[in-house]
Every structure is written in C-alpha cells, then in structure tokens.
Amino acid sequence: MAQIKLSNLRHSYMPAPKGPEDYALKEIDVTWRDGGAYALLGPSGCGKSTLLNIISGLLTPSEGRILFDDQDVTALPPDQRNIAQVFQFPVIYDTMTVGENLAFPLKNRGVDAATIKRRVDEIAEMLDVTDMLGTKASGLSPDNKQKISMGRGLVRDDVNAVMFDEPLTVIDPHLKWKLRSKLKELHQRVQATMIYVTHDQTEALTFADEVVVMQDGEVVQIGTPVELFERPQHTFVGHFIGSPGMNVLPCEAKGDRAIFEGHEVMLEGPTHGDGGRTDLGIRPEYVGFGETGIPAQVTKVSDIGRHFVVSAMVGNTPLKAVVEHNAPNPGSHVFLKFKPEHSRVYRDGWIVTEERTQ
Ligand code: ADP
Ligand code: MG
C-alpha cells in the first residue's frame, strides 16, 4: 500500500492544446492517504476516468507527476504500478470458470495454490458467488459478470490501491445497494486505499470517508460528506450534493449581511472581496418559516415521505425549503427565516464568507 500523490497534473487529449478549455484535466493536486476510502464524484465528462487512467498508468499525463510514497511513477507502465482497476463494464475471460477468473490475478503473479484457494474462497463468499465458482463465465448475467470483475480487482492483497470506475452502472438497483455496503465493509477489513468513481452522490457519500468533487477538469472541494453538506466551498458542490441542492440566490454583499431581493440577510461571518457574480448560498434544510422574516409566496409543496419540499418565490427569485411538518399551503403568503450560521456569500461560484469562529 502507498500514499498516492498527484502533483501539478494536467492532461489534454489534443496534440497542441492552447487554452484551459483544451484540457480534460486542468490543474490537479491531490494526495490520497494510504488506506483511505475515497469517492471521486462529478458529472459525466468532468475528467474522472481520465484521472483514474493516469493513476493506473493507462494514460501518461501531458504535465505533472504521480508519486507513490516518494517514488515517482509517472513513467512506469501499468503492470509496474500494482494498481487494481475495475471498469464500468465487466472485464472477464469468457472461456474460464468464475473460479479461474478470480484466481487469474494471483496465478499471474506466481502466488502459491493454497493462498489462491483461500483468497478466491474469501472473495467469492463476500460477493455471494460461491455456488458459481465452477460455472463458465460466458453464461453469466451482466451483473454477475460485473461482480466477478470486481472480485478480480479485490482478490490481491498487495496492491497500492483498488480503483473502481463507476462499477455499478450495469448492476440492478437492489444489488447495487448490497454491493456498496459490501465494499465499505471490505475496506474496513483490508484497509487498502480505495478510490471509487461515481456521478451519483448517494454512492459517493455512503462509500467514502472523503469525497473529491470534480467539475470540468478541476477539483472543487475535498471533504467528508458532512463538510460537503455543511460548508460547500463552491456553489457547484452545494448544488450537486443534497436533494434538493443548495439555493443559490443572486444578492449584494455588505460586510456580514447580504441584500437579497431588497431584504437584509445575516451571514455566518464577514465577506471579503468585491465584484463578480454574487450569490447567497443556503441549503433548503436551513430555510424555515416564522411570524416575521422575508415575505414569500408558496408555489408548490411536494411530500417526499420523510419531509416536505416547499417551493416559493421571493420577489422574482425561486427558492426551496425543506420542513418535516406543518408545510404551508400552495398559494399562501409566508415569512422565511434563513439560519445565519448557514447563510454564505459566493463570488463567481467560490465561497467568500469567513467561517464563524467561536
Ligand atoms: P468522466 O469519466 O468524468 O465522464 P472522462 O475522463 O471520460 O470523464 O472525459 C473527460 C473529457 O475528456 C471529456 O470531455 C471527454 O470527451 C474527453 N475524453 C475522454 N477520453 C478521450 C479520448 N480518448 N480522446 C479524446 N477526448 C477524450
Ligand atoms: Mg468515466
């Protein structure tokens, strides 16, 4: 196992890139702690697979370095990096049995037969495929094939990291949930560095201790699920994580206040800088109702089961609130209260409100 460090990484698929828009990865500096459980989260096309392929060595970056502990591996081919990678679609040998497929990565490295049997049995049990060990892989359903593919990634215990690139895409929803909790359990058991790529916030937040959020070839925030929820560093993170996402409301900022649709809103702390597009960010969970406050008209109420999502208009700006009970009626006029400790100003997307210190 090793700590993996990406330093000043940039990558373009073009032979002569010019501006930043020609780069699939713009400027990446990330350190993946030895033994950490990470999710790499971002929308389709933001550069997640490019980043994984650079770590595993399938792709050489245009600029920057990759370090495993203190060893520079930038120029090393994949087979010398000792990384297990599980892809979006199953990669298995159809002519082999399930057991032979699982044994293959170990056999390939000259591991002794007794160890191979022990590891294969362990992994098969974990993935619930013990009764398929003798079956030819060619006849398996797509989700069983993918389970075997994941097993092949997990069977070695000497790798620097195990990376999963959206591995549950072909798996049906029920099994998805089961496999995800298995992976989490497995991580706790083996303590290998794991990087789990997904565009699905639920997958990321349940699997990872730390989530790396990417947008458009850049890392916008690295944090625990709680940090990403409570203090998004960028409106993109606020909007991408949470359901519904953070309200992003055009405003003006003055010291520790924002002026939103003509109403003064108390912020978490003072705001620095000026100019740029200025927005007030507040999660629907921290918008409440009161006897006084910001006047709004309710446009829609959705009963989500555990809570209500209330859509409302303040002046010309729509926003959402989440309440557990006593949802107002559609059409009614209400007063909104924003929790100051969760109200922050963002300039051109980035947070500019200082963290409140006690
Ligand atoms: P993600 O895995 O987050 O969906 P990718 O890393 O696959 O994103 O892609 C990032 C960007 O690089 C996209 O704009 C994509 O079109 C581009 N890209 C990916 N692979 C190639 C390739 N082999 N050649 C050219 N462009 C590519
Ligand atoms: Mg991808």
Side-chain angles (χ1 to χ4, degrees):
M1 317 283 172
Q3 169 185 285
I4 298 173
K5 187 172 173 185
L6 308 177
S7 170
N8 294 314
L9 213 64
R10 272 151 66 82
H11 187 71
S12 175
Y13 287 103
M14 298 182 181
K18 293 181 194 84
E21 66 281 2
D22 292 346
Y23 283 81
L25 295 179
K26 298 204 166 71
E27 171 86 52
I28 306 272
D29 283 276
V30 180
T31 300
W32 315 80
R33 198 169 29 79
D34 186 8
Y38 292 96
L40 185 55
L41 174 69
S44 179
C46 72
K48 304 180 298 295
S49 296
T50 303
L51 190 61
L52 281 203
N53 293 341
I54 285 175
I55 296 176
S56 66
L58 292 174
L59 202 60
T60 306
S62 319
E63 292 168 40
R65 296 190 309 151
I66 304 120
L67 301 162
F68 290 0
D69 289 332
D70 290 326
Q71 190 199 357
D72 188 330
V73 301
T74 316
L76 285 189
D79 61 341
Q80 288 175 39
R81 295 202 188 184
N82 228 357
I83 297 264
Q85 190 170 6
V86 177
F87 299 93
Q88 196 165 2
F89 299 100
V91 181
I92 58 171
Y93 298 103
D94 269 344
T95 55
M96 294 184 191
T97 63
V98 167
E100 287 164 346
N101 263 290
L102 291 176
F104 192 78
L106 299 174
K107 218 167 181 175
N108 217 11
R109 305 211 139 221
V111 175
D112 66 275
T115 309
I116 293 183
K117 176 159 177 18
R118 184 176 52 78
R119 290 292 295 162
V120 168
D121 286 349
E122 252 174 47
I123 292 294
E125 192 183 334
M126 196 200 92
L127 293 169
D128 248 343
V129 297
T130 306
D131 56 352
M132 290 175 211
L133 283 174
T135 311
K136 267 263 177 343
S138 56
L140 297 178
S141 66
D143 47 7
N144 278 327
K145 281 191 179 175
Q146 184 65 344
K147 276 214 252 182
I148 307 310
S149 214
M150 289 171 78
R152 284 163 43 95
L154 293 165
V155 76
R156 287 173 55 200
D157 56 8
D158 61 341
V159 291
N160 283 318
V162 189
M163 307 195 300
F164 301 91
D165 195 349
E166 314 219 30
L168 303 182
T169 310
V170 292
I171 307 269
D172 78 59
H174 172 69
L175 197 60
K176 242 182 202 175
W177 186 84
K178 212 165 127 188
L179 279 180
R180 209 166 58 208
S181 33
K182 287 247 158 151
L183 275 182
K184 179 94 197 158
E185 188 187 305
L186 190 92
H187 176 261
Q188 277 153 357
R189 198 137 44 92
V190 302
Q191 295 291 313
T193 309
M194 289 192 188
I195 304 176
Y196 185 100
V197 167
T198 178
H199 63 270
D200 177 334
Q201 57 160 319
T202 315
E203 278 187 21
L205 300 178
T206 47
F207 172 73
D209 301 328
E210 254 188 309
V211 181
V212 177
V213 185
M214 280 184 73
Q215 181 200 23
D216 210 5
E218 281 179 299
V219 171
V220 283
Q221 188 169 0
I222 302 176
T224 64
V226 172
E227 283 165 350
L228 297 179
F229 186 84
E230 294 296 345
R231 211 164 189 286
Q233 295 298 297
H234 194 280
T235 50
F236 174 77
V237 177
H239 202 78
F240 199 67
I241 288 176
S243 184
M246 183 171 80
N247 293 301
V248 178
L249 313 168
C251 73
E252 283 168 54
K254 284 201 180 107
D256 61 359
R257 312 284 157 111
I259 312 297
F260 160 55
E261 287 285 352
H263 308 284
E264 200 173 82
V265 176
M266 190 62 185
L267 301 171
E268 179 191 26
T271 290
H272 39 81
D274 50 33
R277 199 188 68 241
T278 312
D279 295 296
L280 171 63
I282 180 159
R283 289 205 175 273
E285 287 79 359
Y286 301 126
V287 176
F289 298 92
E291 296 293 311
T292 59
I294 300 169
Q297 182 167 22
V298 176
T299 52
K300 188 176 154 199
V301 178
S302 314
D303 185 349
I304 308 291
R306 249 182 318 158
H307 54 241
F308 298 92
V309 177
V310 179
S311 304
M313 290 298 284
V314 173
N316 293 316
T317 310
L319 55 71
K320 289 194 165 78
V322 165
V323 288
E324 295 199 352
H325 25 74
N326 297 337
N329 293 321
S332 59
H333 291 270
V334 294
F335 292 104
L336 302 177
K337 299 241 180 244
F338 293 178
K339 286 205 168 139
E341 65 273 30
H342 294 286
S343 301
R344 303 175 184 109
V345 164
Y346 294 81
R347 274 193 216 284
D348 291 327
W350 294 98
I351 194 166
V352 290
T353 298
E354 278 173 33
E355 194 159 3
R356 192 184 3 207
T357 44
Q358 303 305 322

